[in-house]
Amino acid sequence: MIQHSKKMEIFSPAIFGDLKKAANEKAKTGVKIIDLSLGSPDLPPNEKIRKTLSDASLQENMYGYTLTGTKSFNEAVSDYYKRRVNVDIEAETEVLQTMGSQEGLVHLPIAFCDEGDIVLTTNPAYVAYDAGIKLAGAEPYYMPLKKENNYLPNLKDIPEEVLKKAKLLILNLPGNPVPAMPNELFFKEVIEICTTYNILVLHDAAYSEYYFEGDRPSSFLSVDGAKDVGIEINSLSKSFSLAGARIAYFVGNKNAIAVLKQLKSNLDYGIFAPIQKAAVTALENAEEITDQLRTVFKKRHQIMTKGLQEIGWEVAPSTGGMFVWAKYPYRMSSIDFTFKLIEQVGIVTVPGTSFGTEGEGYVRIALVQNAVTLQEAIERFATLTFD
Ligand SMILES: Cc1ncc(COP(=O)(O)O)c(C=O)c1O
């Protein structure tokens, strides 16, 4: 008899398997499924990136352990931060690569939290944060993301006794599932509170290249004092369509990076060298590559937002991100609604409650299909009927 550990009880099975099963059943009836569930980029990586990966993979000396980031990878990150957000990063001591940001996010709380420590996180939030908090035996304190506060957490609502016990604050802007955007004023408030209560800030910048209007949004690290209290985790999965070639990195506070380096040296032996080389090509060509991405996603975002509003849905306003956070105009739980969507019109989304209780009444729509398919999705949404 194989029995799972007690610890396994803290991990709930992901909903994606059940959604896929329902979608497969629907597909058997001849309906073409429109999958807007997973945030896996549908655009291919730029040809320069693929060429670097392919050339490097043919070299004989690319197959050893890399242990940690190569010098050229760390320098490319430092250069990218200087060019894109005008932040000085010391390549050797302020960068640490991870095997995708999920890996870094899930492991990070182990490095900074003891049993019973509090981690401030949002509701809704990307699910990996909760997994990491639980793995470390820490306690989440959920800051609700409300429409009336532009879907940013209201830090003034956090009780003092919670702040005193908190070791870590996790933020994600532009966010998943709610595409709220970062702003300097909010980050300043974060830095002030976290400096006062000695709380480490982890800003997840996975969607930092997804903005559709105006200048690039602030990096957390570009705000005065940020490096004293925090780090950012950034990924090449979304900005450079490298989700399957796993590579991401922590960047920021030197002392925090040193602690994470020690933890990581016990977990793995580094990332495949050709992937690191491909990442360097990506970062060096970031402006050209991400401009193309923004053009495509801006159009998709407009189609989905406008289309849903025209048929009576409410959409969280945003000028960036990869998702649309949509409130459907029917009285039904978000889980029931998601499965009805598959059953009635063959569209797969993710129920809002998969990301936290505040997600009730919402679905998350990933903009991972082309404009024509998204237009068709809108037409199908318009045909929904419920008693
Ligand atoms: C907010 C956020 N952070 C991190 C990740 C993980 O991405 P990866 O592990 O591919 O870097 C995702 C993936 O969907 C995400 O939405």
Side-chain angles (χ1 to χ4, degrees):
M1 263 296 268
I2 298 200
Q3 275 193 329
H4 63 65
S5 65
K6 279 214 177 61
K7 196 147 222 156
M8 272 311 292
E9 281 155 28
I10 62 180
F11 300 112
S12 47
I15 191 165
F16 291 105
D18 291 340
L19 293 175
K20 182 117 196 110
K21 219 155 92 191
N24 287 345
E25 282 305 306
K26 182 68 182 176
K28 282 186 198 156
T29 67
V31 170
K32 182 178 148 259
I33 297 295
I34 300 179
D35 192 345
L36 307 175
S37 59
L38 264 182
S40 187
D42 60 308
L43 303 176
N46 182 282
E47 194 177 347
K48 288 180 190 162
I49 304 177
R50 286 181 281 139
K51 178 131 185 16
T52 305
L53 183 58
S54 144
D55 288 350
S57 302
L58 283 173
Q59 292 170 24
E60 290 176 350
N61 61 349
M62 286 283 130
Y63 289 83
Y65 294 125
T66 55
L67 299 179
T68 180
T70 57
K71 190 163 179 274
S72 58
F73 174 79
N74 285 16
E75 283 171 357
V77 169
S78 166
D79 194 49
Y80 170 78
Y81 263 73
K82 187 68 191 167
R83 283 190 344 262
R84 298 295 282 151
V85 284
N86 198 23
V87 174
D88 290 311
I89 296 293
E90 215 174 86
E92 207 179 315
T93 54
E94 294 181 340
V95 181
L96 175 67
Q97 71 175 213
T98 60
M99 292 180 168
S101 49
Q102 177 105 342
E103 181 263 304
L105 289 166
V106 174
H107 288 136
L108 179 130
I110 298 175
F112 299 102
C113 301
D114 290 311
E115 296 264 333
D117 285 343
I118 288 181
V119 179
L120 308 170
T121 179
T122 61
N123 173 4
Y126 179 54
V127 289
Y129 309 150
D130 242 22
I133 295 166
K134 288 171 177 168
L135 201 61
E139 296 290 330
Y141 176 87
Y142 296 109
M143 305 173 288
L145 300 183
K146 302 267 192 203
K147 185 177 154 194
E148 53 271 26
N149 203 38
N150 295 323
Y151 296 98
L152 290 173
N154 192 347
L155 303 175
K156 293 189 182 71
D157 284 349
I158 308 170
E160 167 121 39
E161 64 270 23
V162 171
L163 289 169
K164 281 184 179 157
K165 282 179 74 184
K167 287 284 164 60
L168 177 66
L169 164 70
I170 306 176
L171 294 170
N172 167 220
L173 300 157
N176 170 18
V178 188
M181 298 300 280
N183 72 70
E184 201 172 322
L185 213 65
F186 173 70
F187 281 150
K188 278 189 175 147
E189 200 190 337
V190 168
I191 293 167
E192 203 178 301
I193 290 194
C194 292
T195 305
T196 307
Y197 292 93
N198 200 18
I199 300 168
L200 177 71
V201 179
L202 168 64
H203 178 233
D204 180 352
Y207 299 96
S208 59
E209 295 287 2
Y210 284 70
Y211 56 94
F212 313 132
E213 275 170 32
D215 294 338
R216 193 184 199 281
S218 313
S219 150
F220 172 67
L221 295 178
S222 67
V223 182
D224 274 353
K227 242 205 248 176
D228 297 331
V229 288
I231 51 177
E232 202 154 71
I233 186 161
N234 211 328
S235 172
L236 282 91
S237 292
K238 316 286 177 169
S239 299
F240 301 99
S241 297
L242 287 173
R246 311 290 295 141
I247 187 158
Y249 53 90
F250 289 116
V251 62
N253 185 282
K254 210 177 267 189
N255 298 331
I257 296 284
V259 174
L260 288 164
K261 238 182 218 173
Q262 186 185 334
L263 174 67
K264 285 274 296 164
S265 68
N266 287 270
L267 297 178
D268 61 68
Y269 287 127
I271 292 172
F272 186 40
I275 293 182
Q276 299 206 37
K277 281 189 168 281
V280 171
T281 301
L283 294 169
E284 283 176 352
N285 293 279
E287 287 75 4
E288 174 200 334
I289 295 170
T290 62
D291 271 351
Q292 287 165 0
L293 170 100
R294 278 184 286 279
T295 308
V296 170
F297 273 81
K298 180 177 181 168
K299 183 161 180 220
R300 292 179 181 185
H301 191 263
Q302 275 169 349
I303 290 172
M304 186 51 70
T305 305
K306 193 162 158 277
L308 287 176
Q309 283 166 340
E310 279 171 4
I311 58 168
W313 293 43
E314 199 185 305
V315 173
S318 180
T319 54
M322 193 193 218
F323 304 98
V324 169
W325 184 240
K327 190 165 193 210
Y328 47 85
Y330 308 100
R331 285 179 152 275
M332 197 179 295
S333 79
S334 71
I335 293 201
D336 285 351
F337 181 67
T338 305
F339 283 95
K340 289 266 186 224
L341 269 183
I342 298 173
E343 202 180 293
Q344 277 203 21
V345 292
I347 298 178
V348 193
T349 58
V350 182
T353 45
S354 296
F355 306 96
T357 51
E358 292 288 332
E360 191 53 280
Y362 290 81
V363 287
R364 188 195 76 175
I365 297 171
L367 299 169
V368 291
Q369 301 285 347
N370 64 34
V372 174
T373 308
L374 292 180
Q375 194 57 55
E376 187 185 332
I378 297 288
E379 280 154 29
R380 291 197 201 177
F381 282 135
T383 67
L384 284 166
T385 47
F386 298 111
D387 301 332

